[in-house]
């Protein structure tokens, strides 16, 4: 499959990272500290609205707020709302383990008792799109909404789908979110390994929309490729430190966020993001260009 380029320039105007040992894109690019404290969502968005929400959704709230603020779309107080029309902001979220604990708990309850024993607070959170829909509801993002959970390439696929929405004129900007929680259920699935327990979020916009509001461009999306074979040409590769654990659906978003951190630090670019098996069909590549080099 050949590399794909968009007919419309799509740029990154906001980026946020929340991981144990790294809470900025610069810290991510330089290398998250070993033994960092777990992320506390309430410290970023307050306690209101977090009760009865799974860990992935809580992390998603915190990342969404941070990325929107970084892009200049949301003020310090969430009550002030967006600085752009709500219908102009879509959401694409990526997570493979997101609500696995909730689904497992509900199924265990149904198996051991009956469906009437399930918690009315749990069942709404068992939907596969709960992260994307919850972020949209909380922050009033009324554009297109999509959840991607298709394995290792999920994060970069989410970035690509968001960019495609923008290029197709479906929306002017998209909040792209990648998050994976770490809990007992996830660790069993990973055979004793652990997940990153955090993630990254980006704000993508059309070049025209970013120009209209005089937004700072942090990176420019280059060619994207999905499938087996050689990767898109050029670019330094940034690798996620092994001590952070499995990033899965957040991996692609973390790579793009790290590229933003490198560009912020003066890296001339380009930077290449790669997810999935480098030898197999389950592979995605995306080239990120520094704003001044695009």
């Amino acid at each position: 499959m050949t590399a794909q380029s968009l007919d419309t320039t799509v740029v990154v105007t906001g980026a946020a990272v929340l991981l144990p040992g790294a809470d900025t894109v610069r810290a991510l690019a330089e290398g998250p500290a070993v033994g960092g404290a777990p992320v506390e969502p309430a410290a970023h968005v307050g306690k209101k609205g977090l009760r009865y929400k799974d860990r992935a959704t809580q992390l998603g709230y915190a990342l969404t707020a941070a990325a929107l603020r970084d892009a200049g779309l949301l003020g310090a107080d969430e009550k002030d709302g967006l600085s752009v029309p709500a219908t102009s902001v879509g959401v694409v979220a990526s997570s493979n383990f997101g609500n696995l604990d909730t689904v497992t708990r509900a199924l265990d309850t149904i198996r051991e008792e009956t469906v009437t024993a399930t918690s009315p607070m749990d069942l709404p959170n068992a939907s596969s799109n709960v992260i994307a829909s919850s972020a949209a509801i909380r922050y009033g993002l009324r554009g297109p909404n999509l959840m991607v959970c298709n394995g290792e390439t999920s994060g970069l696929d989410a970035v690509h789908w968001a960019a495609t929405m923008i290029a197709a004129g479906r929306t002017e900007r998209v909040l792209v979110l990648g998050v994976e929680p770490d809990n007992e259920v996830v660790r069993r699935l990973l055979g004793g390994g652990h997940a990153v327990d955090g993630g990254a979020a980006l704000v993508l916009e059309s070049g025209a929309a970013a120009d209209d509001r005089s937004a700072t461009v942090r990176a420019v999306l280059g060619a994207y490729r999905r499938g087996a074979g050689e990767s898109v040409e050029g670019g330094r590769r940034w690798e996620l430190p092994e001590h952070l654990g499995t990033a899965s659906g957040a991996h692609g978003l973390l790579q793009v966020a790290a590229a933003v951190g490198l560009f912020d630090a003066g890296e001339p670019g380009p930077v290449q993001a790669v997810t999935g098996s480098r030898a197999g069909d389950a592979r995605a590549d995306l080239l990120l260009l520094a704003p001044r080099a695009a």
Side-chain angles (χ1 to χ4, degrees):
M1 186 181 294
T2 58
Q4 303 175 36
S5 297
L6 297 168
D7 294 332
T8 299
T9 299
V10 177
V11 300
V12 180
T13 57
V17 170
L18 287 176
L19 291 171
D23 60 2
T24 67
V25 293
R26 288 286 291 273
L28 177 66
E30 293 168 0
V34 177
V39 177
E40 293 292 344
H44 297 272
V45 295
K47 295 182 179 179
K48 186 176 181 180
L50 299 188
R51 192 178 183 186
Y52 303 124
K53 297 297 182 182
D54 57 57
R55 173 76 172 166
T57 298
Q58 292 183 5
L59 290 167
Y61 283 158
L63 283 163
T64 297
L68 292 174
R69 289 189 180 111
D70 191 59
L73 298 177
L74 185 69
D77 190 337
E78 291 180 16
K79 295 179 181 179
D80 294 337
L82 297 169
S83 61
V84 294
T87 54
S88 76
V89 189
V91 178
V92 180
S94 169
S95 183
N96 294 312
F97 311 143
N99 64 343
L100 183 61
D101 56 340
T102 300
V103 172
T104 300
R105 184 167 57 249
L107 289 175
D108 286 346
T109 300
I110 293 171
R111 184 186 69 249
E112 295 168 5
E113 302 178 53
T114 67
V115 68
T116 58
T118 56
S119 167
M121 298 297 102
D122 262 354
L123 292 182
N125 296 328
S127 172
S128 60
N129 74 329
V130 64
I131 300 171
S133 60
S134 294
I137 292 169
R138 177 163 179 144
Y139 295 101
L141 313 178
R142 298 182 181 176
N145 190 282
L146 178 67
M147 184 76 200
V148 185
C149 45
N150 63 313
E152 293 184 39
T153 65
S154 181
L156 288 187
D157 293 340
V159 174
H160 177 65
W161 278 114
T164 300
M165 289 179 182
I166 293 170
R170 290 288 308 281
T171 189
E172 293 181 293
R173 51 190 66 86
V174 178
L175 183 284
V176 193
L177 174 65
V179 60
E180 294 293 8
D182 186 45
N183 53 54
E184 182 182 347
V185 174
V186 171
R187 292 193 177 204
R188 288 206 305 269
L189 179 68
L190 295 175
H194 68 279
V196 292
D197 202 39
L202 309 167
V203 174
L204 304 187
E205 299 190 59
S206 69
D211 285 343
D212 285 346
R213 66 184 193 90
S214 300
T216 299
V217 174
R218 312 284 289 287
V220 179
L221 268 58
Y224 163 86
R225 191 180 189 284
R226 181 73 158 76
E230 295 298 319
S231 62
V232 293
E233 295 182 0
R236 165 186 172 179
R237 288 185 182 178
W238 178 89
E239 300 293 342
L240 186 73
E242 290 186 5
H243 75 267
L244 288 175
T246 300
S248 195
H251 192 192
L253 276 295
L254 287 167
Q255 290 187 43
V256 177
V260 173
L262 291 169
F263 298 153
D264 284 354
E267 173 81 23
V271 174
Q272 185 186 33
V274 181
T275 57
S277 170
R278 295 183 180 180
D281 293 336
R283 173 194 171 108
D285 300 78
L286 176 66
L287 205 62
L288 287 308
L289 309 174
R292 57 191 170 282

